[in-house]
Amino acid sequence: MPAYELRRLPAAETRYLRHVVLRPHQRPEELVYPGDDAPDTVHLGLYVEGQQLGVASLYREARPGSPSSTEWRLRGMAVLAPQQGKGYGAALLQACMDHAARHGGTQLWCNARTTASGFYTGLGFVVEGQEFELPGIGPHYLMWRGL
């Protein structure tokens, strides 16, 4: 894997990859997620030679039905298709886990596309519950791991 740089971004700079990788049927300006501009939210970009190859967003948010105040949610994680499988996603995810742990997080969770569940399982996540459908997006699992 070539050398990469991770940097914090404003939410707007995540939307192009959210569009291209995750939701090509939506325009980038439609990819504003609730909490994108919350004070605790962190958006990270992964760059190689100045080109943005990946993004991930991290929100202080408990899993559905959980009373915890120490859970963080991973959302909008995307790596350009030709760059997937090279370790960039794992690097982004590790940076998110590190940030959450440094800020009192005890768990990280996400709604993972079924097709990405192997990636998350390989990095210590477990599936909670049954597969579910996000309308217009596809099948997902709720997945989480301790920090």
Side-chain angles (χ1 to χ4, degrees):
M1 170 172 63
Y4 62 87
E5 175 191 359
L6 287 172
R7 62 179 113 140
R8 288 180 77 151
L9 309 170
E13 290 182 28
T14 66
R15 295 184 184 131
Y16 174 75
L17 283 188
R18 286 179 183 178
H19 165 69
V20 171
V21 178
L22 302 173
R23 298 184 181 193
H25 58 284
Q26 294 179 332
R27 295 187 321 265
E29 57 270 21
E30 293 178 285
L31 296 169
V32 176
Y33 296 163
D36 266 354
D37 296 318
D40 287 341
T41 299
V42 175
H43 306 283
L44 296 176
L46 184 142
Y47 295 80
V48 173
E49 297 178 358
Q51 180 186 5
Q52 187 183 68
L53 302 183
V55 295
S57 297
L58 188 62
Y59 307 79
R60 189 183 296 268
E61 179 182 338
R63 285 182 289 169
S66 171
S68 175
S69 62
T70 61
E71 295 176 349
W72 287 74
R73 180 180 185 181
L74 176 71
R75 194 161 188 208
M77 179 146 168
V79 174
L80 286 173
Q83 304 302 324
Q84 292 175 7
K86 297 181 179 180
Y88 297 127
L92 269 169
L93 184 54
Q94 187 62 55
C96 289
M97 291 188 293
D98 292 346
H99 177 87
R102 278 193 314 273
H103 291 85
T106 59
Q107 292 183 358
L108 181 65
W109 70 278
C110 63
N111 288 327
R113 290 172 190 249
T114 302
T115 56
S117 62
F119 165 78
Y120 290 104
T121 301
L123 293 168
F125 282 71
V126 295
V127 172
E128 182 174 302
Q130 301 297 313
E131 181 180 274
F132 62 93
E133 186 81 17
L134 283 177
I137 302 170
H140 283 68
Y141 290 115
L142 190 148
M143 300 187 77
W144 67 275
R145 67 159 284 165
L147 298 174

